Amino acid sequence: MWTFLQLTGVLITFECVIGAEARLKRTKALKRSKRDWVLPPSKLWENTDYTKKEFIAKIRSDKSQEATVEYYLSGPGANEPPFNLFVVNHGNGYVRITDVLDREKCQEYSLKGIAKYPNGTLAEDEIPLNIVVLDKNDNAPSIKLQKGTVKEESKKGTLVMRIKGEDADQNGTNNANLTYSIVSQEPPGKDPMFMINKYTGDLYVRTEPDREKQSFYKLVIKATDMGGAPGGLTGTGTVEIKVVDINDKIPTLEKTEYTGSVDENVDDVVVMRIQALDEDEKFTDNWLTVFKIVKGNEDNLFSIETDKETNEGILKLIKVQSLDLGLQIENVAPFVDGTAYPIKILVKNVPEGPTFAPSTKEIPLSEDPSKIPKDGIIAVFPAVDPDTGEIAEDVSYAKSYDPDNWFTIGEETAEIKLNKKPDRESPFLVNGTYIGKLLAISKDMPPKTATGTIAIQVADSNDHCPTLSSTASTLCSDKNTVFITAFDEDAYPNAAPFSFAIVPEGTKGSWDLEVINGTTAALHSQIALWPGVYELQVEVKDAQGLSCPTAEVFIVDVCICEETEECTPRMNLLKSTSVEMSAGAIGLLLMALCLLLLIPLILITCQFGGKDTVFPEQFIDLETEKSEELMSYSTEGRGDDKVGGSSPHFTIML
Ligand SMILES: *[C@@H]1O[C@H](CO)[C@@H](O)[C@H](O)[C@H]1NC(C)=O
Ligand SMILES: *[C@@H]1O[C@H](CO)[C@@H](O)[C@H](O)[C@H]1NC(C)=O
Ligand SMILES: *[C@@H]1O[C@H](CO)[C@@H](O)[C@H](O)[C@H]1NC(C)=O
Ligand SMILES: *[C@@H]1O[C@H](CO)[C@@H](O)[C@H](O)[C@H]1NC(C)=O
Ligand SMILES: *[C@@H]1O[C@H](CO)[C@@H](O)[C@H](O)[C@H]1NC(C)=O
């Protein structure tokens, strides 16, 4: 049997940390040892020196009456850290303490008492020896930094937050029973802004805060333990309170009226920035201002939006269709409170570059030199100032396109001067119009340029006489009609319809003339025609009655047509000859030589020297050029590709 002697009472626990689990273990241990002893807990005050005491507890086994028993302690504070805080006299079982206890380090020690025989055999089961440390008020309270917020304009008595102090002394005892008070407020202000419940630490509004005056407070709070009793320990801490903005301030504008201006002919441009003033907290919705145009924007020319960085209204001009100079637009920008501010916007005249108006100038011009001004100036095409519509000043001119170098332009005067006689038949004309381009260059920096187009419309003058488009024709001897067609390089009304007339003096045969249309006439022979060349002279007049100085010569080559409706074309002769190369080889060789040399005498020789002589058609065409010098030859012989032989006729120019 154990005998347990105690100094100040008995308590049983196991560990320093008392948790639910530990409590359970303790209960079980109690039950297990209950069959021997029920041990009341042992209590020792902290901060009290028991080291001089002979013992704070005694343990003893009944077995010591029969045999020698030795006593030991085990557990934290004995053979575990903190080592040897408690020691036992092995012989008499007196338990001593070697140091002063601190409840805030460990509030309970659970030791075990051991009784052994000298031979090492346990004399008893282990006995729990538990020591509880009693609290003393040896710790001052403390308050950690706490932060809270309060909405501005909160009424008196509004709970802001609960201040919670700490005290290391034993919970639930007066040693840790804290009371609170406000020591100071920063900034102090006129009135204390807050009040505190002494016992709960609840902090309340005392004076309505106004964020626009003061948005932040710092309080020093004092906590006193022992329920605030005199002699209680104290500690202080800081509490920071932010005043939260509410939208209690109405936005206003800097000025009561605005005037701005905008350049004309611009799009999407900022007309002005309108500064809104709002005392509410910056960059919050309470501060940001919504701008609306309530009047004057019926055409949606303007838009307004808020610059979220600056709280400015950005008034933008979206588009200006056509604003007259000096036009004023009035807008009214309203605010949430309905206050409206008038805004006047002036449209500024921006110097614009010169323009050509219209961009193309038509210059009618006669081809007839006598109708062209003597100085050659056919037009003046100055650029205009689009703002005033007047002739632009400080502008110089230059040519930018003049493919046939027809004109010059006065650098300062914009006078267009002809370089050459206009020719309506020039390939540079389209539909009788010559296109040129010029530049107007303003003298400011950077220069502005405009391009103008001139369309010189050359009116036709009757400077060409009509000629025959073809001056020869073949005709089968059994037919009697050929057609003549005339052509005139001039244009209406100086060309077709043409009138034709036969000049009997220079004409072989007797011909009737029939008008087919404006350009063509038919010639009918009144007599039967024999094969041979008939030279006709035709007078052709244009619609103005102009004819060439000499009559046109038209050659009718009458041939005998067999089986076909027309004379054998000479090209056919050439083709068939190349097939019969071997037969006419020598002749062709000579022929080639003749062509190269182009000597008429040799030509004649060739003609009679070669058996199947042929001539390219272009030689035949030459005949028409000078009719009075024509000689005619008629060769009777076999045609190369004709069985019966045809009668080719060649006209050679001498
Ligand atoms: C040790 O000594 C005790 C008492 O003298 C005795 O009862 C016990 O049997 C001994 N044990 C051993 C193992 O010798
Ligand atoms: C003190 O007691 C309260 C309630 O009784 C509890 O909430 C708190 O956690 C305890 N503090 C300590 C340090 O034990
Ligand atoms: C704390 O102190 C107040 C008064 O100072 C007292 O009424 C209260 O009972 C105390 N509480 C404890 C747990 O001591
Ligand atoms: C020329 O004029 C005719 C008739 O006026 C027109 O049909 C044609 O398109 C014009 N050609 C050009 C290149 O302008
Ligand atoms: C005139 O008549 C000729 C022959 O019939 C024809 O080829 C030509 O196209 C006509 N010209 C006009 C302008 O009608």
Side-chain angles (χ1 to χ4, degrees):
M1 269 296 186
W2 279 99
T3 303
F4 184 84
L5 301 172
Q6 64 181 48
L7 188 69
T8 56
V10 179
L11 183 85
I12 303 161
T13 56
F14 277 87
E15 294 152 50
C16 273
V17 181
I18 300 175
E21 205 184 343
R23 284 178 202 279
L24 197 64
K25 281 183 192 164
R26 182 178 64 182
T27 316
K28 281 177 185 167
L30 267 174
K31 276 176 188 162
R32 203 167 56 227
S33 56
K34 209 174 176 179
R35 52 189 165 94
D36 298 321
W37 309 315
V38 176
L39 297 173
S42 169
K43 294 183 180 177
L44 298 175
W45 288 104
E46 65 170 332
N47 302 338
T48 303
D49 188 2
Y50 298 106
T51 58
K52 303 292 186 294
K53 299 273 178 191
E54 197 181 1
F55 54 85
I56 55 156
K58 282 183 183 173
I59 53 174
R60 204 189 69 191
S61 171
D62 290 347
K63 303 280 171 62
S64 62
Q65 289 164 357
E66 296 112 45
T68 310
V69 170
E70 292 173 356
Y71 300 99
Y72 297 92
L73 289 177
S74 77
N79 64 346
E80 286 172 42
F83 288 108
N84 298 326
L85 179 59
F86 299 96
V87 291
V88 67
N89 183 311
H90 299 309
N92 59 17
Y94 286 14
V95 177
R96 285 193 305 113
I97 188 165
T98 60
D99 203 352
V100 175
L101 294 173
D102 181 358
R103 193 202 65 89
E104 284 70 45
K105 274 187 189 155
C106 184
Q107 62 180 27
E108 291 187 33
Y109 294 90
S110 48
L111 304 168
K112 288 185 187 84
I114 299 165
K116 287 180 189 170
Y117 294 118
N119 63 12
T121 306
L122 284 177
E124 301 272 359
D125 286 344
E126 291 179 353
I127 180 83
L129 171 59
N130 293 320
I131 293 153
V132 169
V133 186
L134 296 174
D135 188 44
K136 283 201 166 182
N137 190 22
D138 57 345
N139 286 283
S142 64
I143 300 174
K144 284 191 186 140
L145 173 69
Q146 289 178 57
K147 293 181 179 184
T149 58
V150 61
K151 269 193 181 175
E152 68 173 320
E153 288 186 11
S154 290
K155 295 282 172 283
K156 181 175 183 177
T158 306
L159 177 66
V160 179
M161 63 194 297
R162 170 167 283 191
I163 311 296
K164 196 80 190 108
E166 287 164 10
D167 194 309
D169 290 325
Q170 188 161 10
N171 217 358
T173 70
N174 217 23
N175 294 340
N177 185 6
L178 303 184
T179 59
Y180 300 92
S181 60
I182 298 171
V183 178
S184 65
Q185 168 186 306
E186 198 182 316
K190 218 169 66 187
D191 300 303
M193 299 301 295
F194 302 96
M195 53 194 189
I196 196 164
N197 179 310
K198 185 178 174 185
Y199 301 108
T200 61
D202 287 344
L203 189 71
Y204 296 95
V205 170
R206 188 171 188 275
T207 310
E208 277 186 27
D210 180 357
R211 195 204 66 86
E212 282 73 46
K213 280 190 188 142
Q214 182 60 38
S215 63
F216 181 79
Y217 291 96
K218 213 166 164 181
L219 301 178
V220 174
I221 308 285
K222 183 169 82 176
T224 308
D225 63 14
M226 303 302 286
L233 300 175
T234 62
T236 57
T238 303
V239 174
E240 293 176 353
I241 296 156
K242 186 174 185 277
V243 183
V244 177
D245 187 48
I246 62 163
N247 194 13
D248 58 341
K249 294 290 183 286
I250 287 166
T252 56
L253 292 191
E254 246 180 349
K255 303 178 203 164
T256 52
E257 192 179 308
Y258 288 83
T259 306
S261 62
V262 61
D263 293 345
E264 64 176 333
N265 298 329
V266 290
D267 284 357
D268 197 23
V269 71
V270 174
V271 180
M272 65 170 72
R273 297 175 78 95
I274 301 158
Q275 181 67 61
L277 304 176
D278 193 308
E279 291 178 56
D280 286 326
E281 188 167 8
K282 279 194 169 187
F283 310 118
T284 67
D285 285 352
N286 300 335
W287 173 76
L288 281 175
T289 303
V290 177
F291 294 84
K292 270 187 208 158
I293 302 171
V294 286
K295 210 183 111 197
N297 196 27
E298 287 71 24
D299 294 335
N300 288 320
L301 295 181
F302 292 91
S303 72
I304 192 161
E305 62 186 54
T306 307
D307 182 335
K308 293 193 166 60
E309 295 300 315
T310 62
N311 211 15
E312 288 170 314
I314 306 169
L315 181 65
K316 268 190 185 173
L317 179 64
I318 303 166
K319 55 178 177 181
V320 175
Q321 290 138 339
S322 57
L323 288 178
D324 288 339
L325 290 174
L327 178 70
Q328 284 189 336
I329 302 165
E330 284 206 19
N331 290 83
V332 181
F335 288 89
V336 264
D337 66 342
T339 316
Y341 295 80
I343 296 173
K344 288 185 178 138
I345 292 147
L346 182 73
V347 178
K348 266 197 304 200
N349 175 24
V350 172
E352 289 171 53
T355 62
F356 287 101
S359 62
T360 300
K361 185 181 180 70
E362 293 178 354
I363 306 172
L365 197 63
S366 171
E367 231 181 347
D368 184 349
S370 66
K371 290 182 182 162
I372 293 171
K374 284 204 175 59
D375 57 6
I377 295 168
I378 52 170
V380 184
F381 191 19
V384 297
D385 180 340
D387 286 335
T388 62
E390 304 284 316
I391 288 175
E393 287 171 4
D394 292 329
V395 169
S396 59
Y397 300 90
K399 254 185 354 182
S400 72
Y401 180 69
D402 183 13
D404 197 24
N405 193 26
W406 273 36
F407 65 94
T408 57
I409 176 137
E411 194 185 325
E412 300 296 328
T413 59
E415 288 172 339
I416 296 157
K417 191 171 172 181
L418 271 188
N419 270 345
K420 53 166 74 168
K421 178 179 172 297
D423 176 10
R424 194 178 191 286
E425 286 72 38
S426 159
F428 295 97
L429 268 65
V430 175
N431 273 1
T433 304
Y434 181 84
I435 298 292
K437 288 188 176 167
L438 31 127
L439 288 177
I441 305 155
S442 71
K443 288 179 182 166
D444 47 1
M445 286 304 291
K448 300 184 183 75
T449 62
T451 302
T453 302
I454 54 170
I456 302 175
Q457 296 165 332
V458 184
D460 192 49
S461 80
N462 200 3
D463 55 349
H464 294 86
C465 59
T467 56
L468 292 179
S469 350
S470 165
T471 53
S473 173
T474 58
L475 179 62
C476 294
S477 54
D478 56 346
K479 298 277 189 321
N480 68 347
T481 300
V482 290
F483 294 93
I484 54 174
T485 298
F487 165 78
D488 192 324
E489 284 190 63
D490 292 326
Y492 175 86
N494 299 325
F498 303 112
S499 53
F500 301 90
I502 301 285
V503 183
E505 296 77 39
T507 299
K508 182 179 172 186
S510 174
W511 303 82
D512 267 352
L513 195 142
E514 180 197 358
V515 174
I516 303 291
N517 56 33
T519 54
T520 303
L523 299 177
H524 306 290
S525 176
Q526 290 172 326
I527 53 169
L529 294 171
W530 291 95
V533 172
Y534 289 77
E535 185 184 304
L536 287 73
Q537 282 193 13
V538 184
E539 186 189 55
V540 187
K541 287 181 178 167
D542 64 21
Q544 301 300 321
L546 179 74
S547 61
C548 293
T550 56
E552 296 290 295
V553 174
F554 191 74
I555 304 297
V556 180
D557 185 1
V558 180
C559 60
I560 296 167
C561 301
E562 287 182 3
E563 294 167 13
T564 60
E565 289 293 298
E566 51 188 342
C567 295
T568 306
R570 283 140 176 109
M571 282 312 288
N572 284 356
L573 294 176
L574 187 64
K575 278 182 197 151
S576 60
T577 308
S578 62
V579 177
E580 297 171 13
M581 180 66 96
S582 55
I586 297 162
L588 279 171
L589 223 65
L590 282 168
M591 175 65 209
L593 192 66
C594 295
L595 285 174
L596 279 168
L597 296 176
L598 281 172
I599 299 165
L601 197 65
I602 294 175
L603 275 172
I604 296 161
T605 315
C606 286
Q607 185 181 5
F608 294 103
K611 184 187 163 218
D612 300 312
T613 309
V614 284
F615 284 86
E617 205 140 11
Q618 65 257 38
F619 279 87
I620 292 147
D621 286 343
L622 289 172
E623 69 191 348
T624 61
E625 295 289 317
K626 289 190 180 135
S627 51
E628 53 278 301
E629 291 178 65
L630 285 174
M631 284 179 68
S632 142
Y633 295 87
S634 180
T635 307
E636 296 287 341
R638 283 189 297 126
D640 298 273
D641 52 353
K642 302 225 167 137
V643 180
S646 63
S647 305
H649 291 78
F650 302 103
T651 310
I652 311 295
M653 188 179 81
L654 288 175

